[in-house]
Every structure is written in C-alpha cells, then in structure tokens.
C-alpha cells in the first residue's frame, strides 16, 4: 500500500488498482484477466452504459440550464412585462374607443341628414320630427343650455394627521354617495338636465364607487367633480345650501362644495350609445279613455 | 471515455436544440436527476478504474437511485419538507468519495 492510501479506509480493489497498467482508465482488473472475447464484451457494455448516462446528463443539463435561465429571466421581467402588456392593452382599447367614437359621430351626422330629408317630405314628418326633438331633449341626447348652477366638489383639504381629526381618512374624499346626494337634491329642486364632469346623466345613468374614482355612465371620473344642472338657479342653490343639507354635512369633513349660479349653463349631450335589451314598449289593449 | 465525452456532447447539443423548456414545477426533479446522472457517471468511472464494472449494477443503480431521489422529492413536497436535500447530500457525498477513489487509483497508476 502506498503512503497516500494510509489516510483513507482501505479499498478492496486497492491491490488490483496498483497492479494496473498503462491505460489512464484501467481496463478490466481482476486477479485473472478475462479472456479476449469477454474483455471485448465488457468494454462494449461499459461504453453503452457510460454513453447512455452521459447523453442523458448532457440533455438534462442543457434543458435545465435553458429552463432555469428563462425562469429567472421571467421572474425579473415579469412585472415589467406585465406593465408593458397592460399599457399595450390600454392603448389598444383607447384606439378602438377612438375609432368607435368616430363611427358614432358619422352615424349621428347620418341621422341628422336623414332628419333633414324627412323634414322636406311633409307635415306628418315635421310633426314626428318635433316629437323626436322633444323626446331627445328629455332623454339627454341633445346639447342643452339654460340658467342653472355649477357645483364643484373637491376632496377635503383637511388631513387626519395635520388637523387632528378623529375620523376615518376615507371620509375626507368624495364618495359616490356624496355625489348622489347632491344630484338627488338638484333633481328634487327641479333640475332638468344634469352632467357630472361633462358626462350627461340619463335615466339609466349610474353614479357608483369604482375604487378611488367614481363611475358615471360606465366612464370613470376623479375629483374634483363639476356638476352642472339646468333649472331655477335659486331653487337649485337653496336646495343644496339648506340647513342640515348636503353641503353642511360635507362641510363637517371640510369637503368643499362650491355653487355658482349662472344664466347660461351649457350641458352637452350624452355621447355614448344606449341599448334596451329587456324593456319593451307595452301597449295596453284596453283604451285608456273609453268613450 | 471517448464514448462518454461523445454522449455528453451529443446530449448537450440535443438539449440546446430541443425546443421547449421544463416547467418550473418539475425543475426540482430534473435537478435531482442531473445529480443522479453525475453520480452514476462518476461511479461508473470508478468501477471502470477498479475493474468491477457491472452493467446491470450500473443501470439498476442509476434508475433506482434517480427514482428514489425523485420519489423523495415528491414525498418532501407532499409533507412540506425539503427531502430532496437529503438525496442531494447523499449523491454529492458519493460523487466526492468516488472521485477520491478514482483520483487515487489514477495517481497510483501514474506513479508506477
């Protein structure tokens, strides 16, 4: 046994190894060298085994290397990619939106043209047209102008930390309920047309909390909210400013509600589309006024 | 040895050429397979150097060790215990031991 081997546990094959010859990986070692054919066979099976396992090792290693590389890259880029993806989606939707809006405008032009044409074709058409105009005015499909008020609601200037308020900080921002209250008072006071940040309120309009913003006609708006209403300016203003009314309630949280009376409030038409899927006109078979 | 190098290169090429990746969920198994492969290769070299190479021992050892390791990994995942570390340690220890034996046998050969 050589010196080097002394600090190792003795190996059973040690003698055989030290007896071995030139090849760096020794051929078959045994007390009695195997016959020629057996040695050949032995070499072949060894080669196959090592070849197979080395092949598998290489394959797995390369695949795993690629996979790990990609996985870690993904982990790093995931957030970035996600942001980009969302940005792209947003842009796409915006483009679609713009295209649809253009289409809407052209269709509205068409309608106006048809109306002009129909006007020229007789009294009946003129009557119908007048009725249509009135219906559109009521429904909110025309720009309207008239005396009214402009109500501006801004988030509270107070802060819980700075002003020592003992309220939930969420009370300091404007909620859908606050807007609803204002709109409700305006309607109660006889407002004929109302818009919020330029979005015309229809019979089907919602005013709803959508996270930190408010959804009106399925479009989202953030504070400050500018509510325009056409009606008797005095009545509208006093409805909002009455004692114990909405402005006084909101003033508790230092939410500022500014009411400006004006002789000319312009409220734009609803620019979207409406579709009634479920509601249908119901015609009563019994005449309402039998005579 | 030449066969081994040839197989390794061929496998690397195949793996790089192969389209597709391992999903993250099985990468732990592939990792343990890799270590099992490395263990088998070193073990084979050692056996070859010592002259007690046996084909059936080699293959059965490779497959059963790899399966056992994968099974332990799976079991570990089931009970939220990183059992694959145990398999890794065993494989790595064996690799070191076998390499040491191989090295000694080669050094002895060169001394002659």
């Amino acid at each position: 046994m050589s010196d080097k081997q002394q600090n190792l546990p003795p190996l059973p094959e040690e003698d055989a190894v030290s007896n071995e010859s030139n090849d760096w990986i020794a051929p078959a070692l045994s007390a009695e060298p195997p016959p020629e054919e057996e040695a050949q066979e032995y070499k072949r099976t060894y080669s196959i085994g090592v070849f197979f396992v080395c092949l598998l090792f290489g394959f797995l290693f390369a695949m795993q290397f690629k996979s790990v590389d990609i996985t870690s890259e993904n982990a790093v880029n995931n957030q970035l990619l996600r942001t980009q993806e969302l940005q792209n989606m947003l842009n796409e939707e915006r483009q679609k939106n713009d295209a649809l809006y253009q289409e809407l405008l052209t269709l509205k032009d068409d309608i106006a043209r048809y109306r002009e044409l129909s006007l020229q074709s007789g009294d009946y058409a003129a009557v119908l047209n007048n009725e249509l105009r009135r219906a559109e005015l009521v429904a909110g499909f025309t720009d309207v102008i008239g005396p009214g008020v402009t109500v501006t609601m801004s988030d509270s200037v107070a802060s819980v930390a700075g002003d020592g308020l003992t309220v939930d900080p969420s009370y300091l921002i404007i909620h859908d309920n606050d807007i609803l209250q204002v709109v409700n008072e305006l309607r109660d006071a006889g407002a004929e047309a109302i818009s919020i940040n330029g979005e015309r309120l229809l019979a089907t309009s919602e005013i709803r909390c959508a996270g930190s913003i408010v959804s009106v006609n399925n479009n989202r708006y953030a504070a400050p909210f500018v509510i325009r209403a056409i009606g008797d300016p005095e009545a509208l203003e006093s409805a909002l400013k009455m004692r114990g009314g909405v402005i006084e309630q909101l003033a508790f949280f230092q939410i500022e509600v500014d009411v400006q009376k004006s002789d000319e409030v312009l409220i734009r038409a609803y620019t979207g589309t409406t579709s009634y899927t479920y509601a249908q006109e119901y015609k009563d078979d019994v005449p309402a006024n039998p005579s | 040895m030449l066969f081994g190098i040839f197989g390794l290169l061929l496998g690397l090429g195949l793996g790089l050429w192969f389209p597709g990746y391992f999903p993250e969920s099985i990468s732990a198994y592939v990792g343990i397979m890799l270590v099992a492969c490395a263990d088998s290769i070193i073990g084979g070299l050692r056996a070859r150097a010592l002259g007690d190479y046996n084909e059936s021992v080699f293959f059965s050892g490779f497959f059963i060790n790899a399966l056992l390791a994968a099974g332990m990994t799976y079991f570990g995942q089931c009970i939220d215990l990183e059992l694959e570390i145990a398999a890794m340690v065993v494989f790595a220890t064996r690799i070191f031991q076998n390499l040491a034996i191989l090295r000694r046998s080669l050094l002895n050969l060169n001394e002659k």
Side-chain angles (χ1 to χ4, degrees):
Chain A
M1 227 179 233
S2 69
D3 292 346
K4 276 186 192 291
Q5 297 294 335
Q6 278 172 357
N7 46 10
L8 253 198
L11 302 166
E13 296 88 356
E14 189 53 42
D15 287 343
V17 170
S18 43
N19 286 341
E20 221 8 79
S21 53
N22 42 19
D23 212 3
W24 83 267
I25 289 179
L29 308 164
S30 55
E32 302 151 27
E36 194 63 19
E37 310 98 63
E38 223 176 286
Q40 285 293 322
E41 174 67 13
Y42 177 86
K43 219 168 188 171
R44 200 179 60 76
T45 60
Y46 167 79
S47 301
I48 290 172
V50 167
F51 175 77
F52 174 75
V53 177
C54 280
L55 184 78
L56 192 62
F57 181 82
F59 180 74
L60 287 180
F61 183 78
M63 287 286 285
Q64 179 79 335
F65 190 77
K66 276 199 305 185
S67 305
V68 167
D69 216 31
I70 283 210
T71 315
S72 56
E73 217 171 76
N74 279 355
V76 173
N77 289 343
N78 236 0
Q79 249 177 335
L80 211 65
L81 278 175
R82 185 82 188 125
T83 317
Q84 265 177 0
E85 212 174 282
L86 287 174
Q87 185 67 49
N88 287 343
M89 278 163 70
L90 181 66
N91 287 343
E92 252 172 54
E93 291 301 321
R94 272 191 184 148
Q95 278 171 2
K96 272 189 212 164
N97 209 4
D98 283 350
L100 286 173
Y101 186 66
Q102 290 302 322
E103 198 183 326
L104 181 74
L105 289 184
T106 52
L107 288 175
K108 280 193 167 158
D109 281 353
D110 284 353
I111 291 175
R113 253 210 332 273
Y114 289 139
R115 192 173 295 168
E116 288 295 317
L117 287 174
S118 71
L119 254 183
Q120 296 159 5
S121 60
D123 285 348
Y124 184 63
V127 170
L128 275 184
N129 197 49
N130 275 341
E131 208 163 296
L132 182 63
R133 283 231 169 121
R134 222 173 58 81
E136 278 186 340
L137 184 72
V138 171
F141 284 89
T142 51
D143 295 346
V144 287
I145 194 164
V149 291
T150 302
V151 185
T152 308
M153 302 172 76
S154 321
D155 284 343
S156 176
V157 289
S159 67
V160 168
D163 299 80
L165 290 177
T166 52
V167 295
D168 189 324
S170 74
Y171 285 127
L172 302 180
I173 61 170
I174 296 172
H175 289 269
D176 48 333
N177 269 336
D178 306 332
I179 301 171
L180 265 173
Q181 273 189 340
V182 169
V183 168
N184 206 26
E185 288 298 340
L186 291 172
R187 279 188 165 151
D188 183 51
E192 291 168 0
I194 300 175
S195 74
I196 296 173
N197 283 12
E199 188 75 45
R200 182 69 169 270
L201 283 191
L202 306 182
T204 52
S205 296
E206 89 285 7
I207 298 171
R208 187 181 182 278
C209 179
S212 59
I213 49 184
V214 172
S215 154
V216 181
N217 285 345
N218 285 323
N219 288 321
R220 275 110 200 265
Y221 296 97
F225 296 97
V226 179
I227 303 172
R228 293 193 173 85
I230 292 179
D232 178 5
E234 299 295 336
L236 295 178
E237 189 190 25
S238 53
L240 294 176
K241 287 188 169 171
M242 67 182 175
R243 189 175 291 256
V246 57
I247 289 183
E248 202 173 296
Q249 286 171 32
L250 291 176
F252 179 76
F253 302 110
Q254 298 188 36
I255 290 177
E256 289 184 6
V257 183
D258 172 57
V259 184
Q260 293 283 333
K261 288 184 283 185
S262 165
D263 287 339
E264 282 200 339
V265 175
L266 175 64
I267 295 181
R268 293 285 179 191
Y270 175 58
T271 51
T273 55
T274 52
S275 63
Y276 275 60
T277 316
Y278 300 102
Q280 285 177 344
E281 196 180 353
Y282 174 70
K283 284 193 175 126
D284 209 338
D285 286 340
V286 182
N289 214 351
S291 53
Chain B
M1 191 59 195
L2 270 177
F3 273 93
I5 292 174
F6 180 61
L8 194 65
L9 289 179
L10 191 65
L12 280 174
L14 264 176
L16 288 177
W17 163 83
F18 195 78
Y21 307 96
F22 291 129
E24 221 176 329
S25 51
I26 68 157
S27 72
Y29 299 97
V30 179
I32 205 92
M33 277 287 279
L34 271 174
V35 186
C37 275
D39 171 57
S40 291
I41 292 169
I42 305 294
L45 287 180
R46 188 207 72 157
R48 174 80 162 135
L50 301 185
D52 56 354
Y53 176 80
N54 180 311
E55 191 186 18
S56 28
V57 170
F58 181 75
F59 275 107
S60 66
F62 168 60
F63 282 114
I64 291 188
N65 283 346
L67 281 178
L68 185 64
M72 278 181 84
T73 309
Y74 178 72
F75 184 61
Q77 280 181 354
C78 286
I79 61 171
D80 195 20
L81 203 64
E82 289 178 337
L83 272 183
E84 65 263 28
I85 290 177
M88 292 276 186
V89 169
V90 169
F91 280 136
T93 313
R94 279 166 48 110
I95 289 174
F96 276 115
Q97 273 177 352
N98 285 339
L99 263 182
I101 294 166
L102 190 62
R103 181 168 48 88
R104 272 162 222 279
S105 74
L106 293 181
L107 283 175
N108 271 2
L109 283 180
N110 291 343
E111 273 166 15
K112 275 211 124 183

